Amino acid sequence: METPRVKSVMLTFLGIHVLGRAVAVSSGSVIEVFARIGVSEEAVRSTLTRMASRGLLTRHRDGRKVYFGLSPRLAAVLEDGRRRVWETGAVNRAGDGDWTLVGFSLPDSRRGDRHDLRTQLTWEGFGPLQNGLWVAAGSRDVTAIIEQLDLAGHVTVLTARPAKPTESAELVRKAFDTKTIEARYLDFLAKWDTARSPWPDDLTRQLVLHTDWLQVIRRDPHLPAEHLPGGWPAERAERLFRKLDESLREGAAKEAGAVLDTLAVTG
């Protein structure tokens, strides 16, 4: 499994230790935690600064110390990640047969918007069925994506069910790279289903565990389990993630209480 990027780990850190709490955390204590997983002070400061300049983090000062809290925008992103981990899960057993179709046609003058649309559709679990037509399992709300990119006049959204000769399994085969999705779960299992750990404590082990898991499930389009190959590893990987998280939670919380310097914030 690839090494998570610093920003990915930072998002995980904020999701675990700041989301849902009216606090900001000092840059110094963030630097201390990240040093334990081999991330330099310069990289941490650079990441925090970039995120603040993009409106993702809010800055607070207390004497000479600088603290960072969540903006409403970032809190919404992290809450979406929390739902994907603990509510949506890795296995889709809904099997209701509905699919969401997004059709679009954009002129070359809006090539950048076309790229952004495809990127965001991929993030939301869509795959390209054919030129200008993307599909996702279940009923998906893409209103926010269309409004953000100002594409209301260029995009058509439908909810439908396959009709013969088309089958749901055929949609999965055509629009999604299931081998790559499966490989991510297998990589996760290979990395974490072991007694050996390079991380020094429960706090950092939990941080990397959650980052790795989010990287897997955020790139999983949540396809119906009945149309996936036999022995699909998502359920096994999810059981391992939850077991490890439970074993780490108490120690990680205790360590975070001792290390993290927080400041109460309002608004």
Side-chain angles (χ1 to χ4, degrees):
M1 175 174 287
E2 62 198 61
T3 301
R5 295 182 300 123
V6 176
K7 184 180 177 183
S8 297
V9 183
M10 184 66 72
L11 291 173
T12 303
F13 172 84
L14 295 168
I16 294 175
H17 299 291
V18 183
L19 179 65
R21 303 174 59 202
V23 300
V25 63
S26 75
S27 57
S29 58
V30 179
I31 289 167
E32 181 177 345
V33 171
F34 275 60
R36 300 181 184 189
I37 57 174
V39 179
S40 69
E41 176 178 344
E42 180 182 3
V44 173
R45 291 192 185 279
S46 176
T47 300
L48 291 171
T49 299
R50 285 198 304 271
M51 293 177 69
S53 67
R54 293 178 55 200
L56 298 175
L57 294 175
T58 57
R59 281 191 181 92
H60 308 267
R61 284 193 174 274
D62 184 26
R64 299 180 63 182
K65 293 183 179 180
V66 179
Y67 294 77
F68 290 90
L70 306 181
S71 70
R73 176 182 162 199
L74 181 56
V77 171
L78 297 178
E79 177 60 24
D80 176 68
R82 186 200 65 78
R83 284 194 299 268
R84 293 196 186 202
V85 171
W86 300 112
E87 296 175 16
T88 304
V91 182
N92 178 5
R93 295 189 179 87
D96 59 8
D98 286 342
W99 290 80
T100 301
L101 280 73
V102 174
F104 55 89
S105 178
L106 299 175
D108 285 344
S109 60
R110 302 197 64 174
R111 188 177 304 166
D113 289 333
R114 186 166 57 217
H115 170 77
D116 291 342
L117 176 61
R118 289 169 174 165
T119 299
Q120 293 198 39
L121 287 176
T122 300
W123 190 252
E124 292 298 325
F126 285 79
L129 185 60
Q130 58 190 58
N131 188 35
L133 182 63
W134 287 53
V135 62
S139 298
R140 309 285 179 114
D141 186 357
V142 295
T143 305
I145 296 174
I146 295 170
E147 290 179 349
Q148 178 187 350
L149 297 174
D150 191 24
L151 295 177
H154 301 273
V155 177
T156 300
V157 182
L158 300 170
T159 301
R161 292 194 173 199
K164 289 187 178 300
T166 301
E167 302 285 350
S168 291
E170 182 183 4
L171 297 179
V172 170
R173 180 180 60 80
K174 285 185 175 181
F176 301 96
D177 183 357
T178 56
K179 288 186 177 180
T180 296
I181 299 166
E182 180 181 31
R184 294 188 187 116
Y185 282 110
L186 293 174
D187 286 348
F188 179 87
L189 285 162
K191 178 176 179 178
W192 288 100
D193 195 9
T194 174
R196 299 186 302 276
S197 172
W199 316 116
D201 51 51
D202 286 351
L203 175 62
T204 51
R205 186 170 168 81
Q206 182 195 52
L207 182 58
V208 180
L209 171 70
H210 277 246
T211 302
D212 285 351
W213 184 240
L214 271 167
Q215 292 301 298
V216 174
I217 63 172
R218 277 193 175 277
R219 291 184 288 177
D220 181 346
H222 213 233
L223 299 167
E226 61 185 303
H227 301 307
L228 292 169
W232 189 253
E235 184 173 5
R236 185 157 52 100
E238 185 169 54
R239 283 200 306 268
L240 176 63
F241 165 76
R242 289 175 179 267
K243 176 184 175 182
L244 291 174
D245 174 74
E246 184 177 358
S247 70
L248 296 169
R249 196 174 301 168
E250 184 178 348
K254 183 177 180 180
E255 186 70 17
V259 174
L260 297 183
D261 174 18
T262 60
L263 177 72
V265 295
T266 58

